[in-house]
Amino acid sequence: MAFRTDVAERDEWSYAPAVGVGPLRFGMTVDDVVEAAAALGRTEVGECARDHALFSPTWKVDVHRRGVAPSPPAVTAYVSRAVGLFCIAADAVNGPQVAHNGIPLVGRDFAGLEHDTTAYAEAMDVYVRYTPEGYAGPDDPGVLLRGQPVGQVLRSRPLFLVTRDGANTEWDSMPSEEYRFNGRPTA
């Protein structure tokens, strides 16, 4: 089964549920994330708005690709004071390619991704999960597919995460910054 990403060549990172993505491991401190991301490029660390009092303070680590003109971060890592790294977002355009069971998830047109995910589910007799926005994706509690506008097309921006302090589910754990991208709704 061959899959197309319809995006330029990019680094490939592995995903291990509840463990991490590429060089980033869930539970890392901000300093650990910055050190692990150094191979990809320059990092910027900032504090996230504290929208919910039950969550501990959170930092956002933006990782920009080395040698790429100023652009959105390739990867954004969210680190909670209480649990460490809990969410990794891969940018649809600049992020590394991350696959789930052989299906590339980053930068995909949602129609093609839904076709590939559904074909895989039928072939393997497993489930497909739909987000509240209607995006089809792998039935893995550690993967949430978000949309990112790229020109006139909405591309996939997956979030890889574990449940953070004070949250009941991965939806509860999603950083509020990921509900919007560049000031525009992602769904």
Side-chain angles (χ1 to χ4, degrees):
M1 191 180 295
F3 299 102
R4 293 184 51 220
T5 61
D6 296 321
V7 293
E9 290 293 317
R10 56 177 78 217
D11 298 333
E12 291 187 22
W13 283 13
S14 62
Y15 163 62
V19 175
V21 179
L24 304 176
R25 299 289 172 253
F26 296 118
M28 287 178 145
T29 66
V30 170
D31 290 339
D32 293 339
V33 170
V34 169
E35 183 178 328
L40 183 61
R42 174 179 59 82
T43 58
E44 296 174 356
V45 178
E47 290 186 41
C48 293
R50 194 162 179 196
D51 292 340
H52 303 289
L54 63 110
F55 294 146
S56 66
T58 302
W59 294 271
K60 179 170 96 168
V61 181
D62 287 329
V63 183
H64 298 267
R65 295 173 78 63
R66 188 178 325 287
V68 176
S71 63
V75 173
T76 300
Y78 295 92
V79 182
S80 160
R81 179 181 297 164
V83 297
L85 177 60
F86 69 93
C87 181
I88 303 158
D91 183 77
V93 176
N94 298 300
Q97 186 53 259
V98 183
H100 185 276
N101 292 321
I103 301 171
L105 298 178
V106 182
R108 301 283 306 273
D109 174 85
F110 277 102
L113 181 56
E114 181 171 10
H115 176 268
D116 293 345
T117 303
T118 304
Y120 173 82
E122 290 173 359
M124 302 303 289
D125 196 28
V126 296
Y127 296 103
V128 172
R129 178 170 59 164
Y130 285 86
T131 67
E133 294 91 355
Y135 307 140
D139 187 30
D140 182 320
V143 179
L144 290 177
L145 291 178
R146 304 296 297 158
Q148 177 181 328
V150 178
Q152 297 298 313
V153 178
L154 193 62
R155 298 271 181 198
S156 58
R157 175 185 173 84
L159 305 181
F160 303 93
L161 55 123
V162 294
T163 304
R164 69 175 299 178
D165 56 305
N168 296 314
T169 68
E170 68 267 9
W171 281 104
D172 298 333
S173 299
M174 185 168 60
S176 59
E177 288 85 349
E178 289 299 328
Y179 284 101
R180 301 181 72 75
F181 186 77
N182 285 344
R184 295 171 49 196
T186 59

